[in-house]
Structure formats: C-alpha cells, structure tokens
Amino acid sequence: MRVATKYAHLFTLTDDTGIFQHSLYSIPDPSKGYTTDDNARAAIAATMLYQVYREEVYLSLLRRYLSFLIYAQNEEGFFRNFMNYNREFTEKKGSEDCFGRSLWALGYLLNVPFSDESYHNVAIRLLEKALFNVKKLYSLRGKAYSLIGLSLIYSSEAFEFDRGEIRDLVKSLSQDLLKSYYKNREENWKWFEDQMTYSNAILPWSLLKAYTVTKDEEVLRVAKESMEFLGSVTFKDGYFKPIGCKGWYKKGGKRAEFDEQPIEACESALMYIEAYRVFGEEEYLNKAKKCYRWFLGENSQNISLADEETGGCYDGITEDGVNLNEGAESLISLIMTDMVVNHSSKVFK
C-alpha cells in the first residue's frame, strides 16, 4: 500500500470544495453537504499526515481545507458551519464549538514549518479577524476549544500577535472553566457540568494547554482532578469505553453505554498525550495508546472500526455492532489519534 493511500477514504470524501460531512456506507453523501467543523479538523489531520509522510498530496488536501475556512469566515470574524452541496452556507454564524475548532486548526498550522509562507499568512489573517470574538463566547466547549487554539498561537514561532493579550485571554477562559467546575463539583462528581455529554476530554485537555501558558497551579490541579474522574468513568473495565451519545451520563444517574463515538477516543488520546508531556507519567501514555487501540478492536464489542478495504473508519459502536457509515469526523479522529500516539516525534501536539 502506498503511503499516500493509507487513509484513502480521506481523498474519497474530499472534493474540490472540501471534505463531505457524511457518507452512506463508504460512499460520500453530497446531500448532507459540508461543515467547517470537519474541514477545520481535516486541516489538522492533513497537516499531521504531511509532517509524518512528507507527501505533497497531503498539502493539496490542506490547501482545500484552508480555502474552506477562508470562505467560512464571516465579516464579524466568526465562522459559518453548515454548507450545502451548492456551496451555500445555511447560516450566518456557526456554533461556538465551530469557532473554537477553527482557532485550534489555525493555531496548529502556525506551529508547523512550511516552505510556502501562504499557510501561515492565511492563518494569521483569519485569526486577526477572529480573536476579537473570544471575549464574546458563552459555551463551555467553545471556550475550551478556543483555549487550545490560543495556547497554540501563544507557543508559535510564527507569532504575530500581542503575547500579553493572548495570555490574558487564556487566563480569562481558564478561569471561566474553573468557575463552572467549582459550581458543579461534589465529592463523587468532579466535573464541569451536571452531566457528561460530548467531547468531554476537551475540558481537562484545554486546562492542561492553558497551564503551559499561565503556569497556574490551580488550573493544573483542576485539570488533573477532572481528567482522573473522566478516566474512572471511561476506563472502568480496563479498556477505553466512551460515554454513549444516546442518553449521556447525568450526575446521579447511569451512563449511556451506546453509541460510542470515535471523536471521544481521539480527544481523549490528545488529552492523555498532553498529560504525559506535562506530568511525564507513563500511565497517561498507556491510556493514550488504549484510546488508539479502541479503533482497532480493543473495545466493548471487540470489533475494529478501521476499514482496511476503503481506508476509512466506521462511525461508531452501537449495541448491535458498528455503524457501517464512514463519515468525516470518524476518519479524522482515527488519523489524528494514530498520528499523535504512533508518530509523536514528528507531529506538533
């Protein structure tokens, strides 16, 4: 198998506009259109693939995804999210999650050396319009994704922003997360909300990233305590099992067992790799590896989600087996997890 076709489904899902949101089985489904969420994360995945394999085809993908982000940004600097097959955005402003994920992607690009300065220049241009909106965020995950992006911007050698201003934004958002944590924390519930829903790992991970900027020990303590609580839920049987999206996990209730989503394994792996970098404890590296092996069959159903024939990834684990559709989020999650766990020396995390 040629290196450039290891994740062949990434090329199948991507047309000259960007990456399709969904597929019907392994066939792209144009009726569901595109999202900025997926194209932002695909930009990170394509960049990681290029960092590892140094093949031009991945830069070609990156150019398409970055072009999508240019088109997605509105006049106020936010990012529209849902686009139909006619290249028409169906909203004037996307979610705060979408905004934060876009900051994450642009911040990631700023930390990767490219021979063509256009990648950094575009990222900087989009960020110049976007950063004014960070103080307007309300949602917890929007703030968490933005925290990750801001921390990456702060650490970049291609930095062209006021470091003091970026640090202040990181401090402000991290304090917002701490307030939510203390509001909901109880002896047997060490979490930021009264329930665990989607993208749970992003919350402790964002505080770990914030600590790299602020060196605030309270932020680090809350990051570790909440991360350990999350791990007690998702590793209770020795292997990784994310909270199911059909019912979630409300404080005082029972966790939903299914459906298990690939994005949870990916973001958990990213969280544990960051924890390993911060604390240097092998336990976190081992948990990141288990998150990767979740894709390969070390999961509640003992079924691999990686489709060796198409180079894609199934959309999740259900009570009856796997969801046989192979959408963008699932494949991007597998790629990013593979890159950060198995090729950590080559990718920026």
Side-chain angles (χ1 to χ4, degrees), residues 6-284:
K6 178 178 181 183
Y7 291 112
H9 195 52
L10 188 63
F11 299 90
T12 303
L13 279 177
T14 302
D15 67 0
D16 59 354
T17 297
I19 191 166
F20 286 111
Q21 182 180 10
H22 291 298
S23 69
L24 183 59
Y25 300 104
S26 64
I27 308 303
D29 182 357
S31 71
K32 302 299 190 298
Y34 318 80
T35 70
T36 301
D37 277 336
D38 289 333
N39 278 274
R41 289 179 291 203
I44 299 174
T47 303
M48 288 179 170
L49 286 165
Y50 177 71
Q51 288 176 278
V52 171
Y53 298 118
R54 311 307 294 184
E55 293 212 0
E56 175 65 28
V57 288
Y58 297 121
L59 285 182
S60 178
L61 290 176
L62 173 58
R63 285 191 285 271
R64 250 167 286 181
Y65 304 143
L66 194 53
S67 179
F68 191 101
L69 291 182
I70 294 172
Y71 186 37
Q73 191 171 48
N74 65 22
E75 290 300 317
E76 290 75 38
F78 282 101
F79 295 87
R80 298 169 293 179
N81 194 17
F82 293 100
M83 178 197 284
N84 63 30
Y85 190 53
N86 294 325
R87 294 183 173 178
E88 299 164 337
F89 279 100
T90 60
E91 59 194 352
K92 294 182 179 179
K93 174 184 171 184
S95 69
E96 293 188 3
D97 284 13
C98 172
F99 177 82
R101 287 166 181 152
S102 297
L103 292 195
W104 172 21
L106 297 171
Y108 188 92
L109 292 182
L110 288 182
N111 284 274
V112 177
F114 296 103
S115 57
D116 183 351
E117 288 299 313
S118 295
Y119 301 103
H120 288 167
N121 290 340
V122 168
I124 290 168
R125 183 73 172 272
L126 297 182
L127 287 168
E128 285 174 342
K129 290 181 63 177
L131 288 176
F132 296 100
N133 294 308
V134 171
K135 293 180 180 180
K136 302 175 185 178
L137 299 176
Y138 290 96
S139 79
L140 203 60
R141 282 165 182 77
K143 291 178 179 181
Y145 280 113
S146 296
L147 258 179
I148 293 165
L150 290 168
S151 300
L152 292 170
I153 294 166
Y154 186 85
S155 67
S156 168
E157 294 183 2
F159 195 96
E160 291 195 8
F161 305 96
D162 185 314
R163 285 187 181 275
E165 180 181 344
I166 300 298
R167 187 189 300 110
D168 288 344
L169 289 173
V170 170
K171 287 181 178 179
S172 177
L173 294 185
S174 60
Q175 288 304 310
D176 288 346
L177 263 68
L178 261 58
K179 289 176 185 176
S180 183
Y181 183 75
Y182 291 133
K183 178 181 178 181
N184 290 281
R185 181 189 185 278
E186 295 180 4
E187 182 178 355
N188 296 318
W189 185 263
K190 298 175 182 178
W191 198 242
F192 302 84
E193 300 169 299
D194 65 356
Q195 60 180 333
M196 287 181 160
T197 57
Y198 69 97
S199 292
N200 295 301
I202 206 77
L203 301 174
W205 178 31
S206 69
L207 291 183
L208 290 171
K209 294 296 291 185
Y211 172 76
T212 65
V213 174
T214 66
K215 303 304 179 183
D216 186 326
E217 292 296 329
E218 183 184 17
V219 167
L220 185 63
R221 183 184 64 78
V222 171
K224 185 168 187 177
E225 185 174 89
S226 59
M227 178 176 62
E228 297 296 342
F229 178 69
L230 177 60
S232 72
V233 175
T234 56
F235 281 96
K236 66 175 184 177
D237 296 316
Y239 57 85
F240 179 71
K241 181 173 174 54
I243 295 163
C245 68
K246 289 188 174 180
W248 306 123
Y249 179 27
K250 192 170 181 61
K251 180 166 55 178
K254 295 182 65 176
R255 56 166 288 167
E257 298 297 325
F258 301 100
D259 291 353
E260 302 177 40
Q261 301 293 302
I263 188 65
E264 304 300 329
C266 173
E267 291 179 347
S268 294
L270 289 164
M271 174 188 71
Y272 285 122
I273 288 293
E274 188 69 34
Y276 177 64
R277 295 176 69 195
V278 172
F279 298 108
E281 297 177 14
E282 289 289 327
E283 170 195 358
Y284 298 128

